[in-house]
């Protein structure tokens, strides 16, 4: 265990000189408390001693050098939309919020890249590049809230991973400030290199434990052609999950999206939206499928084949959203999922994120429901189903007190994760290990792998000041 020092008034003064008075929160408990938790929930909150908001790489470097010399823990923070507790300052110390580093520095059509600071809101980038006829494909469902820096640090996924891959696939370059204040420039505006060990890849998904990203170069794609969204109800979960591979085979290309929502999820989302979804009385689960095509003909062929594959697999019907308004109204059902759950239960646990091979999804879904039932806990499941990535979300039952709930929820996730691992999967597809999944991560990873990871962490951060208590 590292023995950390406290932030003294002198150190707070030096940090204020580095960042400017407006960009430091010290001693104001109310303001500090907004940085004590993330979307994992307030039940896990821990107070930072100070929050600093640097505006450039030089300032980040000075903060890190100071923290390293004084053995003060530093928790990097982006938008705080993470659900694995990765931005919670477990050891107090400094929260380094990148929120002031929020500029899109360049969109370059020839290189097909965007160069951004870490606190650019993901959706802002998506919209900005679309204006240039380009497309940023790495965004998660929290697109309106999360920052690009947070997406890179968690290797975020989302609904389009089946076609475009997760955030890792879209990062070309990173400027990183290390624990000792050193600055690394990794990758660049190039799309291939065999030029030694790939340290950039190592940084992606490192959840603030290896370095702080201060500049990011992202790959852009040509904007996709026309799209159509299908809403497909099924009366049986097994039929729903099994339809997925048949859809992909039938359309002979990767769809943009195949999302799954179970009955409870759809019920709560539709209630939240004050609307009704077709077949709500009969359907046990729904797929939301999005396909694209370069021409109207190609698009029609594709969605008709997808629809036929669904009907062959026992779908109750296929609803087509072929104009912007109807497609958006289908998508809203999925997008409001988390808020809809929180409306009925403010303590609903949103940290379920297991992933298994597509062939094992049905089995994991059954096991998840069984485990939740065993503990008398209601579960709602949404899934990026074509990636085998399930989000089982747990509602706090009345028989459990608020104090005991986080522990029970994590116990259930451990059981679900153990089943996922037995089926060839892992405990997080996109949200990360953070601290909520740390025990199960450490208990299930082979020792030889953990030893290598500890060696890497020690090399980058020998004093263990960067986001301690997370991942390793
Ligand atoms: C409603 C909702 C829907 C969601 N949907 C998805 C989804 O579809 N896919 C998905 O993957 N996730 C999803 N999430 C989870 C979350 O939005 C993602 O993990 C997101 O990538 C976190 O971004 P953030 O900016 O909020 O980062 P934060 O939560 O602030 O930080 C996340 C991690 O990144 C580190 N970090 C932040 N900035 C930096 C930096 N500059 N350098 C180094 N490390 C840094 C932090 O220390 C922390 O470990 C969802 C969350 C919610 C609430």
């Amino acid at each position: 265990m590292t023995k950390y020092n406290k932030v003294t008034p002198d150190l707070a003064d030096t940090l204020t000189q580095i960042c400017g008075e407006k960009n430091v929160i010290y001693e104001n408990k109310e303001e500090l408390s907004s940085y004590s938790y993330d979307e994992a929930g307030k039940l896990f909150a821990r107070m930072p001693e100070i929050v600093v908001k640097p505006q450039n790489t030089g300032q980040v470097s000075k903060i890190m050098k100071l923290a390293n010399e004084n053995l003060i823990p530093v928790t990097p923070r982006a938008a705080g939309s993470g659900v694995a507790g990765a931005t919670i300052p477990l050891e107090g110390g400094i929260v380094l919020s990148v929120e002031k580093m929020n500029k899109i520095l360049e969109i370059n059509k020839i290189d097909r890249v965007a160069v951004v600071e870490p606190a650019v809101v993901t959706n802002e980038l998506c919209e900005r590049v679309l204006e240039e006829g380009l497309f940023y494909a790495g965004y998660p469902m929290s697109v309106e809230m999360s920052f690009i820096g947070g997406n890179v640090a968690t290797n975020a996924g989302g609904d389009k991973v089946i076609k475009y891959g997760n955030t890792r696939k879209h990062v070309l370059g990173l400027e990183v400030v290390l624990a000792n204040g050193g600055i690394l420039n990794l990758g660049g505006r190039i799309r291939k290199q065999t030029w030694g060990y790939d340290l950039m890849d190592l940084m992606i998904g490192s959840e603030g434990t290896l370095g702080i990203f201060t500049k990011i170069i992202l790959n852009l794609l040509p904007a996709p052609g026309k799209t159509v969204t299908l809403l497909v109800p099924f009366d049986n979960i097994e039929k729903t999950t099994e339809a997925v591979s048949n859809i992909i085979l039938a359309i002979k290309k990767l769809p943009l999206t195949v999302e799954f929502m179970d009955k409870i999820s759809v019920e709560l989302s539709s209630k939240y939206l004050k609307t009704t979804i077709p077949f709500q009385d009969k359907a046990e689960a729904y797929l939301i499928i999005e396909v694209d095509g370069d021409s109207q003909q190609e698009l029609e062929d594709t969605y008709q084949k997808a629809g036929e594959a669904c009907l062959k697999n026992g779908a109750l019907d296929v609803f087509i959203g072929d104009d912007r308004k109807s497609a958006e109204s289908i998508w809203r059902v999925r997008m409001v999922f988390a808020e809809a759950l929180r409306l009925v239960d403010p303590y609903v646990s949103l940290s379920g994120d297991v992933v298994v091979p597509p062939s094992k999804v049905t089995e994991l879904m059954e096991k998840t429901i069984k485990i939740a039932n065993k503990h008398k806990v209601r579960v709602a499941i949404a899934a990026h189903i074509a990636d085998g990535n399930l989000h089982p979300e747990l509602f706090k039952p009345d028989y459990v007190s608020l104090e005991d709930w986080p522990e029970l929820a994590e116990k259930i996730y451990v059981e679900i994760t153990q089943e996922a691992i037995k089926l060839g999967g892992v405990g997080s597809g996109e949200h990360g290990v953070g601290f909520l999944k740390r025990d199960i991560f450490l208990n299930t990873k082979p020792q030889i792998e953990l030893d290598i990871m500890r060696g890497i962490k020690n090399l980058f951060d020998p004093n263990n000041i960067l986001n301690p208590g997370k991942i390793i």
Side-chain angles (χ1 to χ4, degrees):
M1 282 289 282
T2 315
K3 187 98 181 67
Y4 298 106
N5 291 319
K6 292 280 166 204
V7 176
T8 60
D10 276 355
L11 204 99
D13 274 352
T14 314
L15 289 167
T16 307
Q17 278 162 27
I18 295 172
C19 297
E21 209 164 320
K22 275 194 320 218
N23 301 307
V24 172
I25 306 172
Y26 184 54
E27 288 181 326
N28 181 334
K29 290 232 157 52
E30 202 181 319
E31 285 186 35
L32 284 173
S33 74
S34 319
Y35 294 82
S36 66
Y37 61 92
D38 60 15
E39 287 288 322
K42 287 189 183 173
L43 292 176
F44 299 105
R46 302 275 177 91
M47 285 292 269
E49 292 161 64
I50 192 164
V51 175
V52 294
K53 305 175 190 175
Q55 300 112 73
N56 57 52
T57 307
Q59 291 179 354
V60 176
S61 169
K62 283 184 189 160
I63 295 164
M64 291 313 301
K65 191 162 182 293
L66 193 70
N68 199 39
E69 284 166 359
N70 289 279
L71 268 191
I72 311 284
V74 178
T75 306
R77 182 181 176 98
S81 74
V83 284
T87 53
I88 299 169
L90 291 177
E91 303 285 347
I94 301 171
V95 163
L96 191 155
S97 170
V98 295
E99 67 197 65
K100 296 274 168 90
M101 300 175 71
N102 58 3
K103 288 190 264 320
I104 297 177
L105 300 171
E106 186 186 345
I107 293 170
N108 188 310
K109 283 179 149 185
I110 300 174
D111 290 338
R112 264 184 297 108
V113 297
V115 184
V116 301
E117 292 186 325
V120 170
V121 175
T122 316
N123 201 38
E124 188 193 325
L125 178 75
C126 294
E127 288 184 349
R128 182 66 192 81
V129 301
L130 258 188
E131 287 167 14
E132 308 284 338
L134 292 164
F135 180 56
Y136 173 62
Y139 60 90
M141 310 283 283
S142 49
V143 61
E144 285 170 14
M145 191 186 344
S146 68
F147 295 169
I148 296 289
N151 298 162
V152 177
T154 54
N155 187 24
D159 60 301
K160 305 235 174 343
V161 169
I162 173 70
K163 178 132 181 162
Y164 297 114
N166 47 9
T167 301
R168 182 184 303 285
K169 290 271 194 301
H170 311 288
V171 180
L172 295 178
L174 283 181
E175 179 183 78
V176 186
V177 176
L178 298 174
N180 63 7
I183 300 171
L184 270 183
N185 273 290
L186 305 170
R189 295 167 187 235
I190 46 176
R191 288 183 174 75
K192 60 200 293 195
Q193 59 169 312
T194 310
W195 206 229
Y197 300 136
D198 194 337
L199 299 183
M200 188 183 75
D201 232 13
L202 186 60
M203 286 288 164
I204 301 166
S206 62
E207 299 182 53
T209 62
L210 296 182
I212 299 179
F213 315 144
T214 45
K215 205 179 286 170
I216 301 160
I217 304 176
L218 295 166
N219 185 42
L220 301 177
L221 299 169
K226 295 170 186 220
T227 62
V228 160
T229 305
L230 307 178
L231 177 74
V232 191
F234 289 83
D235 62 5
N236 169 309
I237 289 189
E238 199 176 336
K239 285 182 203 165
T240 323
T241 54
E242 288 181 2
V244 178
S245 54
N246 291 331
I247 295 165
I248 297 173
L249 290 176
I251 65 175
K252 295 197 174 69
K253 63 179 191 180
L254 291 170
L256 289 174
T257 299
V258 188
E259 289 292 304
F260 169 97
M261 291 180 81
D262 70 358
K263 189 182 182 67
I264 302 177
S265 312
V266 169
E267 229 168 69
L268 295 179
S269 288
S270 63
K271 204 185 262 179
Y272 180 88
L273 292 168
K274 298 190 173 57
T275 181
T276 43
I277 311 295
F279 284 94
Q280 247 178 270
D281 49 337
K282 279 200 207 131
E284 286 298 317
Y286 289 76
L287 291 180
I288 297 173
I289 304 162
E290 194 179 5
V291 293
D292 65 345
D294 288 337
S295 65
Q296 188 61 31
Q297 190 55 53
E298 185 196 342
L299 184 64
E300 277 174 24
D301 282 355
T302 307
Y303 78 69
Q304 272 168 13
K305 281 183 184 140
E308 281 160 19
C310 290
L311 292 170
K312 257 193 210 160
N313 259 86
L316 294 169
D317 207 337
V318 176
F319 298 89
I320 299 163
D322 54 359
D323 59 78
R324 199 188 157 119
K325 200 165 161 230
S326 54
E328 269 176 15
S329 67
I330 294 175
W331 268 113
R332 290 296 296 158
V333 179
R334 177 65 182 92
M335 294 304 277
V336 301
F337 170 68
E339 291 135 82
L341 266 52
R342 281 227 171 109
L343 188 70
V344 291
D345 176 3
Y347 302 105
V348 64
S349 174
L350 297 177
S351 74
D353 182 33
V354 278
V355 60
V356 288
S359 58
K360 304 293 181 195
V361 167
T362 310
E363 200 173 335
L364 184 63
M365 201 109 39
E366 284 164 7
K367 292 204 157 131
T368 299
I369 294 167
K370 226 184 219 170
I371 292 168
N373 287 345
K374 184 180 81 183
H375 290 281
K376 302 190 176 57
V377 166
R378 205 153 78 109
V379 61
I381 305 178
H384 309 302
I385 195 160
D387 313 325
N389 188 189
L390 271 57
H391 295 310
E393 320 291 22
L394 307 172
F395 296 95
K396 184 183 106 46
D398 290 340
Y399 79 88
V400 180
S401 70
L402 259 188
E403 294 75 57
D404 293 341
W405 174 228
E407 201 178 316
L408 176 63
E410 281 317 305
K411 184 174 161 23
I412 296 172
Y413 285 134
V414 166
E415 288 181 33
I416 296 171
T417 303
Q418 280 162 341
E419 292 300 340
I421 291 170
K422 275 192 226 155
L423 294 170
V426 294
S428 172
E430 54 184 28
H431 295 162
V433 177
F435 97 93
L436 288 181
K437 302 282 174 273
R438 187 169 176 248
D439 285 350
I440 177 84
F441 174 78
L442 294 177
N443 289 332
T444 53
K445 271 274 173 199
Q447 195 54 44
I448 186 168
E449 221 178 313
L450 289 175
D451 288 345
I452 294 172
M453 288 192 196
R454 288 207 173 94
I456 291 170
K457 168 72 176 164
N458 196 36
L459 197 66
F460 278 93
D461 181 18
N463 291 329
N464 193 27
I465 58 158
L466 263 176
N467 215 356
K470 314 295 163 53
I471 307 186
I472 196 81

